[in-house]
């Protein structure tokens, strides 16, 4: 996760399998409006979530910083010497920042998001990578479907800073002329001529893929991920199980059933789902009673995933925070110091959770409309993936009981609608207290514990 | 307690191999089938060559495969139709989920017939085509697997090679590879030159996506995988299961012996993997080389039975103990895991093992059983009873269609931790009957 430095106080010194031994430069290739930035951002989000420090470098942004005001497509004409000079400078500036990120800032993957449509430009990048000891993997998006291209333009180009002063028709007309500027000099990656390069060619938004010379584990994961994502409109509904008996007692973990209010929530959830008229909804639960009982009330077939089970609190299972403070004050403080990486003795950490949830995320990407009924820590991990939250933020994301989050992919991100189903429940959210020192007083440790019986 | 896993697919899938002879179709078929069965998808291979061998008892020579041999064509067509019948039977009567139709399927006509058959029955079809024009690879294939085929029992090596090359020629004339344009409505993966390039078209569902991912991760570079348990641990000595203790003095001796053994093997670029538990880490430390820790390699979680002896489990949880003996693969310890759960969490380890070359995995008894079952194609019934004694290294080397296994006992005494299935698995059994097969301990 971005921003998560290993805490020296954590006794959990776990070395992860090395994804790659040298930094990787992912280079997008393709005409404008082929989804390069969409892919760059999504891939970056995924890699950061699975703990591979990744950053995207969008050349368009460098250009906007250089040329404050965008006039028209003429800037992109292949005979515009001035324009070409500026664009080349921007590309080099971006590559310079790439070098800094991968060599000096501990980055592992950099995504160089630009058209890169000529063999000449790609050669420059390859030389740069070779000089710096980076592996290169090209991701090309090829699409000739005019409907897809038009939709892209509407979704993300019209809202671009370039077109703030244009109306829709003008913007579309200008952008189409912009695409034309690139078309003549476009040299797609070629099976023969580029057979020594590592790349994936995505054709028609994933109908077909050409994959060449995957070099290592990270490239293999990237290919797998790219082959599983799609852009068919859909929504993902996330919620926790209904309030449980242990929730009411302020106890963590365990495998109890729903309280009376929890059962009410389950009924309301069923009604809410009905009212949404969702096409072909899949429902997933964990293998714990409380999510299964919740799904039962929704009244549609559901699938149980062990990977969706709540974080295992090990020796602290079924204890209240007061009991944890009493029996394991040191552990309690260490957890507050680094909640993401801290692992309960004989239990799990949030970091472990992310790893076991990865197949769930992969399958969520493949699916269309899904309702996931899960648990607090699990929901935080899933939400962090969709909303691009850091390791610091993840364990403190607010996921209250009896609230459904509806996530709808939109443009480059995700629209979130929060629906509280108006059934009372305890609060189970414990904020980070101000004093996280191991020598703190019990009251300071328990400052932020929510009320319970 | 025995809960269901998400469905990989909602209707049966036919995987149809495509390619000239000696392109690795049978290798891919068998390997893929082994993988799918291991992850819990009932899969079977239907090899057309075998059907042909049953009908035509003795193979004479390549002339059988000449495109103008009417008699032979009739026989081959009838074999294909029988194989399809058996596939239908496998799906409807034997609860199969995936059938791999291993044959050349090199003409559009033959593929068309298969597609019609599948459409009629409601099966999905996914083609796997292997394209290779590297003569060295083809010859190596022929040497590895064709010369020992029943077809060539009475041939000497050179004659067999010559005949087989003529056999390939018989197919070449009529070979129509899958085409990006003409076959754009089909679901397929085209593998070029043993994986340097892939063309993937219209992946329909989860299982096809997993199959593609798997195929893109396997390779044929020669290498060996070494599997070993940690050295004997303190809890091993006491006959207690699970926990996270360090090595006993015998265990430490094993770690040193293992280091010496590994040095003696002179392995190129060896990767060493351990779990997150002390006993595997301490074992690896003695090797003096860098190692990677995988949480996924941790021993099976025995939940409420962690750190108990079998005698204590019998005393405190007699019913659980019996249920486990009834279905050791699917039984999940209360608050713990089942072997089935283990396989699920080991899948990324297997995927990475496929990508890697020489690897030494230092793990645990249940984990090693799961990994071994994958490499040696053991069933869910056999898996939990595979013998994986302490202080023994298994060296697995892929060979032809399977795996050569060499067992190295490093001559350092250790307790036996293997408990066979007792005769009486009934919940009403007596304690002595339950504890009949418990190995000795302090």
């Amino acid at each position: 996760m971005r921003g998560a430095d290993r805490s020296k106080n954590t006794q959990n010194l776990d070395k992860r399998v090395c994804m790659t031994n040298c930094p990787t430069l992912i280079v997008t290739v393709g005409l404008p409006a082929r989804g390069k930035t969409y892919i760059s951002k999504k891939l970056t989000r995924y890699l950061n979530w699975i703990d591979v420090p990744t950053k995207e470098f969008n050349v368009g942004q460098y250009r906007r910083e250089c040329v404050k005001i965008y006039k028209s497509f003429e800037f992109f004409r292949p005979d515009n010497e001035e324009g070409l000079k500026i664009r080349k400078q921007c590309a080099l500036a971006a590559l310079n920042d790439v070098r800094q990120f991968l060599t000096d800032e501990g980055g592992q993957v950099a995504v160089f998001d630009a058209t890169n449509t000529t063999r000449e430009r790609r050669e420059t990048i390859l030389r740069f990578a070779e000089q710096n000891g980076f592996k290169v993997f090209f991701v090309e998006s090829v699409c000739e479907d005019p409907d897809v291209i038009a939709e892209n333009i509407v979704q993300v180009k019209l809202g671009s800073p370039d077109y703030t002063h244009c109306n829709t028709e003008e913007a579309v007309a200008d952008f189409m002329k912009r695409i034309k500027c690139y078309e003549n000099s476009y040299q797609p990656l070629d099976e023969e001529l580029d057979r020594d390069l590592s790349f994936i060619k995505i054709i028609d938004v994933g109908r077909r893929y050409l994959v060449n010379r995957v070099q290592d584990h990270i490239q293999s994961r990237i290919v797998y991920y790219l082959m599983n994502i799609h852009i068919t409109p859909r929504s993902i509904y996330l919620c926790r199980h209904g309030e449980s008996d242990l929730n009411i007692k302020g106890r963590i973990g365990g495998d109890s059933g729903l309280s009376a209010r929890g059962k009410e929530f389950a009924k309301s959830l069923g009604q809410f789902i009905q009212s949404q008229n969702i096409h072909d909804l899949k429902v997933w639960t964990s293998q714990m009673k409380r999510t299964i009982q919740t799904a039962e009330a929704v009244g549609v077939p559901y699938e149980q995933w062990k990977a969706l089970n709540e974080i295992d609190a090990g020796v602290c299972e079924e204890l209240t925070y007061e009991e944890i403070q009493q029996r394991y004050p040191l552990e309690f403080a260490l957890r507050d110091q680094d909640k993401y990486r801290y692992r309960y003795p004989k239990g799990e950490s949030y970091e472990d959770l992310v790893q076991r949830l990865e197949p769930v995320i992969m399958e969520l990407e493949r699916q269309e409309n899904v309702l996931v009924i899960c648990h607090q820590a699990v929901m935080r991990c899933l939400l962090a993936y969709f909303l691009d939250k850091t390791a610091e933020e993840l364990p403190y994301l607010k996921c209250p009981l009896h609230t459904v989050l509806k996530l709808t992919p939109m443009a480059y991100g995700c629209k979130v609608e929060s629906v509280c189903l108006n059934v009372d429940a305890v609060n189970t959210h414990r904020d980070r207290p101000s004093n996280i020192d191991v020598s703190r007083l019990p009251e300071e440790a328990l400052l932020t514990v929510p009320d319970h019986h | 307690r025995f809960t269901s896993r998400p469905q990989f697919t909602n209707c049966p899938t036919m995987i149809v191999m495509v390619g000239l002879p000696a392109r690795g179709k049978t290798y891919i078929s068998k390997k893929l089938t082994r993988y799918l069965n291991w992850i819990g998808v009932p899969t079977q291979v239907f090899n057309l060559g075998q059907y042909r061998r049953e009908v035509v008892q003795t193979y004479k020579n390549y002339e059988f495969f000449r495109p103008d041999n009417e008699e032979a064509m009739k026989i081959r067509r009838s074999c294909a139709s029988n194989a399809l019948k058996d596939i239908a039977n496998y799906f409807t009567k034997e609860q199969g989920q995936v059938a791999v139709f291993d044959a050349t399927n090199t003409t559009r006509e033959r593929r068309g017939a298969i597609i019609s058959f599948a459409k009629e029955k409601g099966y999905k079809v996914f083609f796997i085509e292997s394209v290779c024009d590297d003569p060295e690879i083809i010859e190596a294939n022929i040497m590895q697997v064709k010369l020992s085929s029943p077809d060539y029992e009475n041939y000497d090596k050179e004659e067999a090679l010559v005949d087989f090359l003529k056999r390939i020629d018989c197919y070449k004339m009529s070979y129509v590879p899958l085409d990006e344009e003409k076959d754009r409505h089909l679901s397929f993966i085209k593998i070029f030159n043993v994986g340097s390039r892939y063309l993937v078209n219209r992946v329909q569902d989860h299982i096809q996506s997993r199959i593609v991912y798997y195929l893109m991760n396997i390779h044929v570079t020669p290498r060996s995988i070494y599997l070993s348990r940690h050295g004997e641990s303190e809890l091993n000595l006491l006959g207690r299961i699970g926990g996270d203790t360090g090595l006993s003095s015998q265990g430490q001796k094993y770690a040193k012996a293992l280091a010496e053994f590994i040095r003696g093997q002179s392995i190129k670029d060896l990767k060493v993997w351990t779990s997150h538990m002390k006993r595997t880490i301490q074992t690896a430390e003695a090797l003096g080389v860098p190692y990677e820790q995988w949480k996924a390699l941790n021993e099976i979680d025995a939940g409420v039975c962690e750190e108990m002896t079998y005698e204590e489990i019998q005393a405190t949880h007699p019913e659980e103990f019996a249920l486990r003996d009834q279905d050791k693969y699917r039984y999940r310890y209360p608050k713990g895991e089942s072997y089935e759960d283990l396989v699920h969490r080991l899948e990324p380890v297997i995927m990475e093992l496929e990508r890697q070359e020489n690897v030494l995995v230092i793990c645990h008894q249940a984990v090693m059983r799961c990994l071994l079952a994958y490499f040696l194609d053991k069933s869910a019934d056999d898996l939990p009873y595979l013998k994986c004694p302490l202080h023994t290294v298994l060296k697995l080397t892929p060979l032809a269609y399977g795996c050569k296994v060499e067992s190295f006992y490093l001559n350092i005494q250790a307790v036996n931790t293997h408990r066979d299935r007792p005769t009486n698995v009934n919940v009403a059994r007596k304690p002595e009957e339950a504890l009949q097969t418990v190995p000795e301990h302090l």
Side-chain angles (χ1 to χ4, degrees):
Chain A
M1 297 287 299
R2 260 194 324 241
D5 293 314
R6 289 189 184 278
S7 160
K8 295 187 191 69
N9 291 324
T10 311
Q11 71 272 48
N12 306 314
L13 299 156
D14 53 327
K15 275 158 66 190
R16 184 156 303 98
V17 173
C18 187
M19 284 283 181
T20 177
N21 38 13
C22 70
T24 302
L25 179 57
I26 296 178
V27 182
T28 63
V29 180
L31 295 173
R34 262 57 176 183
K36 299 184 299 298
T37 301
Y38 175 80
I39 288 168
S40 299
K41 287 184 182 267
K42 209 170 155 75
L43 187 56
T44 299
R45 177 163 55 89
Y46 167 70
L47 290 173
N48 278 311
W49 188 75
I50 62 168
D51 218 344
V52 179
T54 306
K55 195 171 176 195
E56 18 134 16
F57 298 82
N58 176 283
V59 177
Q61 235 144 279
Y62 283 76
R63 187 259 306 160
R64 273 183 281 274
E65 255 151 69
C66 191
V67 182
K68 296 295 179 183
I69 304 178
Y70 174 78
K71 287 215 201 76
S72 76
F73 76 95
E74 307 251 354
F75 179 82
F76 291 97
R77 285 178 56 157
D79 56 359
N80 183 342
E81 293 276 359
E82 181 70 29
L84 284 171
K85 216 166 57 167
I86 294 174
R87 288 156 71 194
K88 182 129 199 238
Q89 270 168 19
C90 289
L92 292 176
L95 285 180
N96 207 33
D97 287 351
V98 164
R99 178 201 352 254
Q100 195 174 324
F101 175 67
L102 295 179
T103 337
D104 303 327
E105 294 173 27
Q108 264 192 283
V109 177
V111 184
F112 187 60
D113 177 18
T115 49
N116 298 316
T117 38
T118 61
R119 194 155 273 126
E120 184 204 349
R121 171 58 57 84
R122 297 196 290 266
E123 269 300 311
T124 308
I125 298 169
L126 283 165
R127 271 197 305 271
F128 161 83
E130 199 179 355
Q131 277 164 14
N132 288 286
F134 305 150
K135 285 185 183 170
V136 179
F137 187 74
F138 293 96
V139 176
E140 181 174 26
S141 175
V142 175
C143 181
E144 291 312 315
D145 184 336
D147 290 333
V148 174
I149 296 165
E151 180 62 25
N152 275 4
I153 296 176
V154 167
Q155 275 229 0
V156 296
K157 299 298 178 186
L158 302 187
S160 150
D162 290 346
Y163 294 112
T164 31
H165 300 118
C166 292
N167 70 35
T168 307
E169 277 99 46
E170 290 170 349
V172 173
D174 183 87
F175 200 84
M176 297 301 257
K177 291 202 191 110
R178 202 152 116 177
I179 297 177
K180 275 248 151 352
C181 295
Y182 285 89
E183 272 176 4
N184 282 333
S185 58
Y186 181 22
Q187 294 164 302
L189 287 168
D190 184 79
E191 270 183 56
E192 264 314 297
L193 296 169
D194 298 305
R195 66 180 171 283
D196 291 323
L197 301 182
S198 296
F199 65 82
I200 178 171
K201 221 190 221 299
I202 303 170
I203 299 150
D204 287 335
V205 204
R207 181 126 316 146
R208 200 165 8 124
Y209 304 91
L210 181 66
V211 180
N212 201 63
R213 289 197 186 271
V214 170
Q215 298 172 53
D216 60 15
H217 181 91
I218 191 68
Q219 290 180 16
S220 159
R221 288 291 281 277
I222 288 166
V223 165
Y224 184 41
Y225 182 71
L226 292 176
M227 289 176 57
N228 279 311
I229 61 180
H230 67 79
I231 57 169
T232 310
R234 53 83 170 251
S235 289
I236 294 167
Y237 298 79
L238 298 181
C239 79
R240 290 168 66 188
H241 52 82
E243 183 192 68
S244 74
D245 289 323
L246 284 180
N247 283 146
I248 297 182
K249 300 198 184 105
R251 295 185 173 284
I252 65 172
D255 191 14
S256 55
L258 300 180
S259 66
R261 296 194 297 198
K263 290 186 186 135
E264 233 188 283
F265 166 73
K267 276 205 213 89
S268 299
L269 180 65
Q271 283 161 4
F272 170 72
I273 291 301
Q274 290 276 27
S275 71
Q276 289 273 301
N277 266 325
I278 307 156
H279 172 69
D280 260 350
L281 178 71
K282 294 261 165 68
V283 179
W284 296 354
T285 68
S286 68
Q287 288 182 350
M288 299 179 132
K289 290 203 200 80
R290 51 200 189 277
T291 57
I292 294 170
Q293 284 178 12
T294 309
E296 281 288 320
V298 176
V300 294
Y302 57 92
E303 290 177 29
Q304 299 174 26
W305 290 72
K306 187 169 195 277
L308 285 172
N309 279 5
E310 182 58 316
I311 191 171
D312 184 355
V315 298
C316 297
E317 276 286 314
E318 302 196 39
L319 299 183
T320 61
Y321 288 118
E322 290 84 353
E323 285 164 358
I324 298 175
Q325 168 57 30
Q326 198 182 32
R327 301 185 207 181
Y328 306 98
L330 174 66
E331 296 294 326
F332 203 34
L334 287 174
R335 185 161 205 252
D336 283 336
Q337 287 177 18
D338 190 355
K339 198 175 177 190
Y340 182 72
R341 283 183 213 284
Y342 172 84
R343 189 183 286 150
Y344 283 108
K346 299 198 170 172
E348 295 177 297
S349 62
Y350 271 92
E351 189 174 34
D352 294 329
L353 249 196
V354 161
Q355 212 180 48
R356 79 162 148 89
L357 284 169
E358 203 264 351
V360 177
I361 286 294
M362 198 63 89
E363 191 53 22
L364 271 174
E365 286 294 345
R366 288 197 57 77
Q367 293 289 342
E368 291 183 22
N369 292 316
V370 187
L371 163 64
V372 183
I373 303 172
C374 55
H375 305 266
Q376 185 167 246
V378 168
M379 188 161 158
R380 285 171 170 154
C381 293
L382 299 178
L383 204 55
Y385 167 74
F386 288 109
L387 304 185
D388 204 17
K389 299 294 185 185
T390 63
E392 265 79 54
E393 297 167 301
L394 187 162
Y396 297 101
L397 293 175
K398 282 204 162 70
C399 295
L401 287 164
H402 299 186
T403 305
V404 183
L405 289 184
K406 177 180 177 180
L407 306 168
T408 310
M410 183 125 282
Y412 294 139
C414 224
K415 180 171 85 168
V416 193
E417 295 163 81
S418 172
V419 185
C420 174
L421 293 192
N422 266 319
V423 179
D424 277 335
V426 293
N427 171 26
T428 58
H429 185 95
R430 177 178 168 268
D431 269 314
R432 193 180 196 255
S434 352
N435 193 344
I436 53 175
D437 207 76
V438 296
S439 60
R440 66 190 176 178
L441 299 157
E443 310 85 77
E444 294 178 294
L446 299 171
L447 195 64
T448 54
V449 172
D451 288 333
H452 60 90
H453 281 317
Chain B
R1 204 174 284 111
F2 307 97
T3 34
S4 65
R5 185 155 291 138
Q7 281 296 90
F8 280 104
T9 180
N10 41 12
C11 75
T13 302
M14 277 185 68
I15 295 183
V16 181
M17 303 303 300
V18 181
L20 293 172
R23 263 58 177 180
K25 297 184 301 299
T26 301
Y27 175 81
I28 291 170
S29 300
K30 285 179 183 263
K31 206 169 157 74
L32 184 58
T33 299
R34 179 161 56 87
Y35 168 70
L36 292 174
N37 277 312
W38 187 75
I39 62 170
V41 181
T43 307
Q44 194 174 308
V45 181
F46 296 82
N47 175 284
L48 204 50
Q50 237 143 276
Y51 282 77
R52 187 256 309 157
R53 272 184 282 275
E54 254 153 69
V55 174
V56 183
Q57 300 285 325
T58 317
Y59 172 77
K60 284 212 204 80
N61 61 34
Y62 78 95
E63 307 245 346
F64 181 85
F65 292 96
R66 286 178 54 156
D68 56 358
N69 185 339
E70 290 277 357
E71 178 73 32
M73 275 298 179
K74 245 190 350 198
I75 294 173
R76 292 160 72 191
R77 249 181 250 126
S78 117
C79 285
S81 138
N82 284 336
L84 289 181
K85 275 202 205 92
D86 285 352
I87 288 176
N89 201 55
Y90 177 63
F91 286 147
T92 38
K93 304 220 178 72
E94 294 176 44
Q95 278 91 47
Q97 269 192 283
V98 177
V100 182
F101 188 45
D102 178 18
T104 51
N105 297 316
T106 39
T107 62
R108 190 157 275 129
E109 182 210 350
R110 171 57 60 84
R111 298 195 292 266
I114 297 169
I115 293 169
S116 308
F117 165 82
K119 193 166 178 188
E120 191 200 329
K121 303 270 186 188
Y123 308 150
K124 285 187 180 169
V125 180
F126 187 75
F127 292 96
I128 298 177
E129 181 173 26
S130 173
V131 176
C132 180
D133 42 28
D134 182 334
E136 276 178 39
I137 297 179
I138 295 165
E139 194 173 308
N141 275 3
I142 297 176
M143 300 303 269
Q144 271 227 358
V145 297
K146 299 298 178 184
L147 303 188
S148 51
S149 151
D151 289 347
Y152 293 109
E153 263 172 346
N154 302 314
Y155 277 69
D156 77 25
K157 281 213 187 106
E158 278 95 47
E159 290 173 345
L161 183 60
V162 167
D163 183 86
F164 200 85
L165 289 171
K166 289 208 189 98
R167 204 153 116 176
I168 297 178
D169 283 337
C170 294
Y171 285 88
K172 273 194 180 160
M173 295 296 279
S174 58
Y175 180 23
V176 181
L178 287 168
D179 183 77
E180 269 186 62
E181 261 316 298
K182 298 207 187 85
D183 296 307
R184 66 182 174 282
H185 296 299
L186 301 181
S187 295
F188 64 84
I189 179 171
K190 235 173 159 24
I191 305 171
F192 294 90
N193 287 327
V194 204
S196 76
R197 195 164 20 116
Y198 305 91
L199 179 67
V200 181
N201 199 65
R202 288 194 187 265
V203 170
Q204 297 172 51
D205 60 15
H206 181 88
I207 191 67
Q208 290 179 18
S209 159
R210 290 289 283 276
I211 289 166
V212 165
Y213 183 40
Y214 182 71
L215 292 174
M216 289 174 57
N217 281 311
I218 60 180
H219 67 79
V220 292
T221 311
R223 52 82 171 254
S224 290
I225 295 167
Y226 297 78
L227 299 181
S228 156
R229 288 169 68 188
H230 52 82
E232 184 193 72
S233 74
E234 312 270 2
L235 284 181
N236 285 146
L237 275 177
L238 300 170
R240 294 182 174 285
I241 65 172
D244 190 13
T245 48
L247 300 179
S248 65
S249 61
Q250 287 298 100
Q252 285 166 29
K253 282 199 195 116
Y254 173 70
K256 290 205 194 78
L258 180 63
E260 221 180 283
F261 169 76
I262 290 298
R263 272 194 296 272
Q265 288 276 303
S266 284
I267 309 156
K268 175 168 106 82
D269 268 348
L270 179 71
K271 295 259 164 74
V272 178
W273 296 354
T274 68
S275 68
H276 277 187
M277 298 179 135
K278 287 202 199 82
R279 50 201 190 276
T280 57
I281 294 171
Q282 285 178 13
T283 310
E285 279 288 321
L287 296 173
V289 295
Y291 55 92
E292 290 176 29
Q293 301 175 24
W294 289 71
K295 187 170 196 273
L297 285 172
N298 280 3
E299 181 57 315
I300 192 171
D301 184 355
V304 297
C305 297
E306 275 285 315
E307 301 197 38
M308 289 191 184
T309 61
Y310 289 117
E311 290 84 354
E312 284 164 1
I313 298 175
Q314 169 59 30
T316 53
H317 303 85
E319 190 189 345
E320 295 294 327
F321 202 33
L323 287 172
R324 185 161 205 252
D325 283 336
Q326 287 176 19
D327 190 355
K328 196 175 176 189
Y329 183 72
R330 278 178 204 78
Y331 171 84
R332 187 183 284 154
Y333 283 107
K335 300 198 168 175
E337 296 176 297
S338 62
Y339 271 93
E340 189 174 33
D341 294 328
L342 248 196
V343 161
H344 194 68
R345 76 163 151 88
L346 285 168
E347 203 263 350
V349 176
I350 286 294
M351 198 62 91
E352 190 54 24
L353 271 173
E354 285 295 344
R355 288 199 56 80
Q356 293 288 342
E357 291 182 22
N358 293 317
V359 187
L360 163 63
V361 184
I362 302 171
C363 55
H364 306 265
Q365 183 166 248
V367 169
M368 188 159 157
R369 285 171 171 155
C370 293
L371 298 178
L372 203 56
Y374 167 74
F375 288 109
L376 303 185
D377 203 15
K378 299 293 182 185
S379 66
D381 290 321
D382 291 339
L383 187 161
Y385 296 101
L386 291 174
K387 282 205 163 69
C388 294
L390 286 165
H391 299 186
T392 306
V393 184
L394 288 184
K395 176 179 178 179
L396 306 168
T397 311
L399 203 78
Y401 294 139
C403 225
K404 178 171 87 171
V405 192
E406 294 164 83
S407 172
F408 298 92
Y409 171 58
L410 298 193
N411 252 319
I412 311 276
Q413 277 276 68
V415 294
N416 171 25
T417 57
H418 186 94
R419 178 177 168 269
D420 269 315
R421 191 180 197 257
T423 347
N424 193 343
V425 298
N426 207 301
V427 294
R429 65 190 176 178
K430 300 204 224 31
E432 311 85 77
E433 295 178 293
L435 300 172
Q436 194 188 15
T437 54
V438 172
E440 282 171 14
H441 57 88
L442 290 175

